[in-house]
Amino acid sequence: MAFILIMSLHGMQSMITELLPSISGVLDVQIGPFWFVAMSVALLFRSFWACLAIPVGITVFGEILIGDFNALGTVEGLIVITLSWFFAMSLITDPMDPKQIAVVGFIAKAMEEIGAWFIDVGKFYVGVEEIDAIAWLPETVWVTEGVGAFTQIIVAGIIFGAIPTYFLYPRLRGKIEPLLGMTPVEGRDGPMFTRTSAKRLLAWVVFLPLAFVIEAFSETSGGLITFTPQFVETYGQEFLFVPILAAAVVAFSVVAYRQRKTDSLNN
């Protein structure tokens, strides 16, 4: 239930931000995405399935339902996003401390952007993607891509991530979990970085090259399995309301179903 709720909420906010304008200039900055939605809700449950729900929500509502799905192209997000959040969640010792929650959410988003940075630069070096760089100094690709990653870390990780999470998370804790028939996750004693954290960080490092290989292969293979009717290009931006509405219905249905089931058990 938590997986479906997070998946639908994150998919819905991703599509809402697609309707918002971007700021063009030296850097193209999009308003959003509103990562505090995923941060606040996913960090309530702190499970592997909560982490996996974030990229799956983007895939289902941000790719399949708008007709722009590439099977191999989704693997990078499934690996990098899931493992980044799975590691960051292991750092939480006091789930009632909004400052710690906000910092952990920022770390997860920063790791995601750093992983994507390495993968994009790697695709440039193997020749499967063209990226802006000085012709006689290809190393500048690290700077150009790094600036973009840093911008996303600031915009999505702090402005639309950690800061609103700091205020929203404590207002959701203890209120969302009972709706799904669950109790709030308790804290733990000890340091933030533990042996479990080390194992999850190692998994992130080990699987990052695999994500790169699959992503590079997707650029040359056509995606293996694709679904590309391009509904938005055909029907216009208004079609984005379809996945938004679908995600809202799924999220509401999950909460309503669990509420009825919990009430019947209590009675």
Side-chain angles (χ1 to χ4, degrees):
M1 293 295 101
F3 172 87
I4 298 175
L5 177 63
I6 296 169
M7 176 190 71
S8 56
L9 288 177
H10 187 59
M12 180 170 60
Q13 68 86 18
S14 297
M15 290 297 94
I16 290 175
T17 55
E18 288 294 324
L19 294 171
L20 301 178
S22 60
I23 302 173
S24 300
V26 179
L27 294 173
D28 289 333
V29 179
Q30 185 178 14
I31 300 176
F34 301 137
W35 270 94
F36 64 89
V37 177
M39 286 185 184
S40 300
V41 181
L43 292 174
L44 290 173
F45 301 99
R46 293 159 49 194
S47 67
F48 174 81
W49 295 108
C51 302
L52 181 62
I54 297 173
V56 170
I58 299 174
T59 300
V60 173
F61 298 100
E63 296 180 5
I64 295 177
L65 287 186
I66 67 172
D68 188 17
F69 173 70
N70 179 319
L72 290 180
T74 64
V75 174
E76 176 192 349
L78 291 175
I79 293 176
V80 176
I81 297 176
T82 301
L83 294 182
S84 296
W85 281 86
F86 197 47
F87 162 74
M89 286 183 178
S90 69
L91 302 177
I92 299 175
T93 58
D94 184 5
M96 299 185 67
D97 182 2
K99 290 184 290 187
Q100 186 179 106
I101 295 297
V103 169
V104 165
F106 168 75
I107 290 173
K109 183 57 183 173
M111 290 181 64
E112 175 197 335
E113 292 298 332
I114 290 171
W117 175 29
F118 284 125
I119 290 174
D120 288 341
V121 172
K123 290 192 294 182
F124 169 80
Y125 276 106
V126 299
V128 297
E129 183 172 313
E130 293 185 4
I131 300 176
D132 292 335
I134 299 176
W136 50 269
L137 190 60
E139 289 77 9
T140 55
V141 70
W142 286 97
V143 177
T144 56
E145 288 298 297
V147 170
F150 179 75
T151 302
Q152 277 300 100
I153 290 173
I154 298 300
V155 175
I158 297 180
I159 299 176
F160 293 104
I163 293 176
T165 296
Y166 176 83
F167 296 99
L168 179 62
Y169 174 86
R171 289 165 174 77
L172 296 180
R173 177 173 165 78
K175 299 179 178 66
I176 298 297
E177 301 94 332
L179 294 177
L180 301 183
M182 304 170 66
T183 57
V185 179
E186 299 297 330
R188 61 174 175 82
D189 297 325
M192 292 182 66
F193 193 86
T194 62
R195 180 176 296 182
T196 298
S197 304
K199 291 179 180 178
R200 295 183 184 183
L201 181 59
L202 178 61
W204 185 88
V205 173
V206 170
F207 279 92
L208 192 61
L210 176 62
F212 161 70
V213 171
I214 296 176
E215 178 64 17
F217 184 66
S218 72
E219 296 287 343
T220 59
S221 67
L224 192 62
I225 299 175
T226 60
F227 176 67
T228 57
Q230 302 292 342
F231 295 130
V232 175
E233 284 74 6
T234 302
Y235 302 106
Q237 287 288 100
E238 293 78 10
F239 190 84
L240 292 175
F241 286 101
V242 173
I244 291 173
L245 179 61
V249 169
V250 171
F252 176 80
S253 299
V254 168
V255 174
Y257 169 77
R258 288 299 302 177
Q259 275 291 92
R260 287 198 302 270
K261 190 170 184 180
T262 301
D263 291 341
S264 64
L265 290 175
N266 291 335
N267 293 333

